[in-house]
């Protein structure tokens, strides 16, 4: 039995039966049977159906936002942004599909017709997390369908209604039966589904351990897997940065969604000339946050997803302090902060170094360490001193310097004067333990298709 325990008040918010072997078999058989007709459906028609689905989803935006708050705790003032982001990404991928999926035609060669066509894998199995349940899954679901694949979605047990909302939108749009399906599955049955020969590609977003489990499950199969596995994303505030802008954006980048973002800011390096002013401004703004019931107006910091997640962050902070770091926020300033609960006050620490888990291990919560640096070279060395490489952000007035430094940073995305945002026109990818593969942009269609070459010699 699946039970979604709401972090808002601890009650069971959603309860569902888990599907077993018979349901997996039925879903995969239906997906395979629907595949041929869906692949043969003209792309323009697939686009029209998916636009209708996106419109149906957006039309239910207020209800979707509210239930998202109850499922995972993000404040109600912020969850509508997930619906807007879903619309932005889905619409962009729909718009660029004809160009991205067009035949690749090399230079003409007398007597031959040659081109590369992008073919669907068949069934794409999407495994999605709870922290941004629509913004992670849409990256694979919509482009996979555009490319002619059928999709089977397994969503997190914390956000089961998200899978059901997809199905509702696709039904409203008139998507053919079997083209999109979802199942609520245990970990063991998720592995069973991945191993099935009818699955042609797996798109997974989650932890490093989860990504390793996906690779292990697919070890004896020659299919691809997209793995988006999180990060320990750094920011560097150069001496020429706009201080007020850097403070405002980095506080938001660190604490939005209670820090539960794979591309949220998790460590900050500040040039010594701005360090003291930056820390003061960062702490002052953090103290203005309102931790509490996320269904109430004015709350901008909700509970973490569960008490154990909050305890993990508390443990990182306590360890850092024990090793010499200083915490600059008194948790008593946040009345809702309670030990043993998902409600956790934000924390800012200085005197930190990379021997502390807070600066090396993914925190995934509202705690941030800030270090002073003397030069660009020191900042780059520290930014690269990580097993992760998803995004990195540089605050500077010098775009040329940002580009030069960006070439040296081991990361999938380099930001300047912003953070924690996915532009659907750009490839979303990571290096090192942040995973492999790519979603979004025209490049995102490449992993969801396979190339097929046509080499036709004309009759002479």
């Amino acid at each position: 039995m699946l039970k979604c325990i709401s972090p808002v008040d601890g009650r069971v918010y959603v309860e569902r039966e888990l599907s077993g072997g018979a349901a997996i078999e039925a879903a995969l058989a239906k997906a395979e049977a629907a595949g041929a007709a869906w692949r043969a459906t003209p792309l323009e028609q697939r686009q029209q159906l998916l636009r209708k689905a996106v419109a149906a989803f957006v039309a239910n935006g207020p209800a979707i936002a509210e239930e998202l708050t109850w499922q995972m705790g993000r404040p109600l003032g912020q969850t509508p942004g997930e619906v807007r982001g879903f619309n932005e990404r889905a619409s962009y991928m729909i718009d660029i599909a004809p160009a991205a999926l067009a035949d690749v035609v090399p230079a003409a060669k007398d007597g031959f017709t040659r081109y590369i066509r992008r073919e669907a894998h068949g069934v794409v199995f999407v495994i999605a997390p709870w922290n941004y349940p629509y913004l992670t899954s849409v990256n694979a679901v919509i482009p996979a369908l555009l490319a002619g694949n059928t999709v089977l979605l397994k969503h997190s047990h914390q956000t089961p209604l998200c899978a059901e909302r997809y199905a509702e939108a696709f039904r409203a749009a008139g998507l053919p039966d079997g083209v999109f399906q979802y199942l609520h599955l245990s970990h063991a049955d998720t592995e069973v589904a991945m191993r099935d020969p009818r699955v042609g590609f797996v798109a997974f977003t989650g932890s490093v351990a989860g990504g390793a489990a996906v690779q292990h499950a697919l070890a004896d199969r020659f299919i691809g897997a997209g793995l988006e596995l999180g990060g320990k994303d750094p920011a560097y505030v150069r001496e020429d940065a706009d201080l007020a802008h850097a403070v405002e954006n980095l506080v938001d980048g660190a604490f939005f969604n209670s820090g539960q973002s794979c591309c949220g800011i998790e460590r900050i390096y500040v040039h010594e000339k701005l360090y003291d002013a930056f820390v003061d401004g960062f702490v002052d703004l953090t103290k203005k946050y309102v931790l509490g019931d996320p269904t109430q107006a004015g709350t901008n910091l909700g509970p973490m997803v569960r008490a154990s997640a909050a305890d993990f962050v508390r443990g990182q902070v306590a360890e850092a302090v024990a090793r010499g770091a200083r915490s600059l926020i008194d948790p008593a300033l946040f009345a809702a902060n309670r030990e043993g609960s998902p409600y956790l006050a934000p924390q800012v620490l200085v005197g930190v170094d990379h021997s502390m888990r807070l600066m090396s291990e993914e925190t995934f919560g509202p705690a941030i360490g800030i270090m002073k640096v003397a030069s660009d070279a020191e900042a780059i060395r520290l930014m690269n001193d990580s097993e992760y490489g998803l995004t990195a952000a540089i605050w500077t007035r010098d775009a040329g310097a940002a580009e030069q430094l960006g070439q040296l940073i081991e990361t999938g995305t380099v930001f300047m004067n912003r953070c924690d945002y996915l532009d659907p026109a750009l490839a979303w990818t990571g290096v090192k333990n942040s995973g492999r593969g790519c979603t979004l942009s025209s490049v995102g269609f490449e992993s969801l298709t396979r190339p097929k070459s046509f080499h036709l010699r004309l009759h002479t």
Side-chain angles (χ1 to χ4, degrees):
M1 180 67 72
L2 178 160
K3 291 186 178 182
C4 165
I5 308 298
S6 174
V8 179
D9 57 8
R11 67 185 169 98
V12 176
Y13 183 69
V14 182
E15 197 166 5
R16 294 287 187 270
E17 292 285 346
L18 291 173
S19 296
I24 295 171
E25 170 59 33
L28 289 173
K30 182 183 282 189
E32 185 179 46
W38 182 243
R39 287 192 298 274
T41 301
L43 177 56
E44 182 179 0
Q45 188 175 338
R46 295 200 295 263
Q47 287 177 288
Q48 290 172 351
L49 287 167
L50 294 179
R51 283 197 176 98
K52 289 179 181 178
V54 172
F57 181 89
V58 172
N60 285 322
I64 288 171
E66 181 177 0
E67 68 192 20
L68 184 54
T69 292
W70 283 102
Q71 286 175 95
M72 51 76 65
R74 191 184 312 149
L76 190 56
Q78 299 169 356
T79 44
E82 184 135 359
V83 177
R84 292 192 296 272
F86 175 97
N87 184 27
E88 177 190 28
R89 295 187 195 178
S91 298
Y92 182 83
M93 297 305 283
I94 292 169
D95 288 344
I96 69 167
L101 296 170
D103 292 347
V104 179
V105 182
K109 183 177 181 180
D110 288 346
F112 293 89
T113 297
R114 302 177 302 160
Y115 57 91
I116 303 166
R117 179 152 293 169
R118 299 197 180 281
E119 285 203 336
H121 289 298
V123 181
V124 171
F125 187 30
V126 180
I127 305 171
W130 53 265
N131 63 318
Y132 283 95
Y134 294 111
L135 293 184
T136 52
S137 53
V138 70
N139 296 350
V141 170
I142 295 296
L145 292 171
L146 285 164
N149 299 285
T150 56
V151 169
L152 179 61
L153 173 64
K154 184 271 177 192
H155 226 299
S156 167
H157 289 189
Q158 192 67 40
T159 47
L161 296 182
C162 296
E164 297 174 18
R165 285 292 189 177
Y166 268 106
E168 180 182 279
F170 288 133
R171 279 195 302 270
L175 199 72
D177 191 38
V179 172
F180 172 88
Q181 299 169 86
Y182 71 88
L183 292 173
H184 299 308
L185 298 172
S186 67
H187 289 311
D189 281 330
T190 299
E191 184 172 328
V192 168
M194 279 190 286
R195 291 181 180 274
D196 191 281
R198 288 165 292 192
V199 170
F201 186 84
V202 175
F204 172 84
T205 304
S207 66
V208 172
V214 170
Q215 288 202 140
H216 179 76
L218 299 177
D220 58 352
R221 299 201 58 211
F222 300 122
I223 68 169
L227 305 173
E228 201 273 85
L229 307 179
K232 188 70 181 174
D233 292 9
Y236 171 37
V237 182
R238 295 183 81 230
E239 61 180 306
D240 67 340
D242 180 327
L243 181 63
H245 182 257
V247 167
E248 179 183 2
N249 278 258
L250 285 172
V251 171
D252 181 69
F255 298 142
F256 190 86
N257 204 35
S258 298
Q260 299 169 126
S261 172
C262 58
C263 59
I265 295 299
E266 293 225 351
R267 50 199 173 105
I268 302 175
Y269 308 99
V270 184
H271 193 276
E272 58 190 8
K273 291 185 178 179
L274 292 183
Y275 178 79
D276 290 338
F278 178 86
V279 170
D280 288 346
F282 198 99
V283 168
D284 287 346
L285 184 53
T286 299
K287 289 178 179 178
K288 295 176 182 176
Y289 268 57
V290 178
L291 172 68
D293 182 344
T295 67
Q296 298 300 307
T299 297
N300 62 356
L301 193 66
M304 294 191 67
V305 68
R306 59 184 65 91
S308 59
D311 287 342
F312 177 83
V313 179
R314 290 185 176 102
Q316 278 196 350
V317 170
E319 179 199 73
V321 170
R323 296 173 69 98
R326 287 191 300 120
S327 58
L328 303 181
I329 303 294
D330 181 357
L333 295 172
F334 297 85
N337 178 73
R338 295 194 307 277
E339 293 281 343
S341 84
Y343 288 86
L344 175 65
Q347 190 54 265
V348 182
L349 295 101
V350 295
V352 294
D353 60 51
H354 282 210
S355 71
M356 302 170 184
R357 288 189 302 139
L358 181 78
M359 297 298 287
S360 63
E361 184 179 79
E362 191 168 24
T363 300
F364 222 62
I368 190 79
I370 306 176
M371 288 181 66
K372 181 190 299 184
V373 296
S375 65
D376 289 349
E378 183 181 7
I380 297 302
R381 178 181 62 79
L382 290 167
M383 293 170 91
N384 285 339
D385 182 27
S386 174
E387 66 182 86
Y388 295 98
L390 191 57
T391 80
I394 301 171
W395 262 260
T396 179
R397 300 176 194 269
D398 188 338
E403 290 188 75
Q404 290 177 357
L405 296 175
Q407 295 290 336
L408 304 174
I409 303 173
E410 298 161 354
T411 189
T413 295
V414 176
F415 291 111
M416 184 182 89
N417 296 333
R418 77 175 311 170
C419 59
D420 196 18
Y421 170 75
L422 278 67
D423 185 332
L426 298 176
W428 182 243
T429 185
V431 300
K432 298 190 277 191
N433 277 358
S434 286
R436 69 156 188 257
C438 169
T439 58
L440 298 178
S441 78
S442 60
V443 182
F445 282 101
E446 294 179 5
S447 62
L448 295 168
T449 56
R450 54 173 171 259
K452 183 174 184 177
S453 293
F454 285 79
H455 192 164
L456 311 176
R457 185 172 187 171
L458 304 181
H459 180 71
T460 56

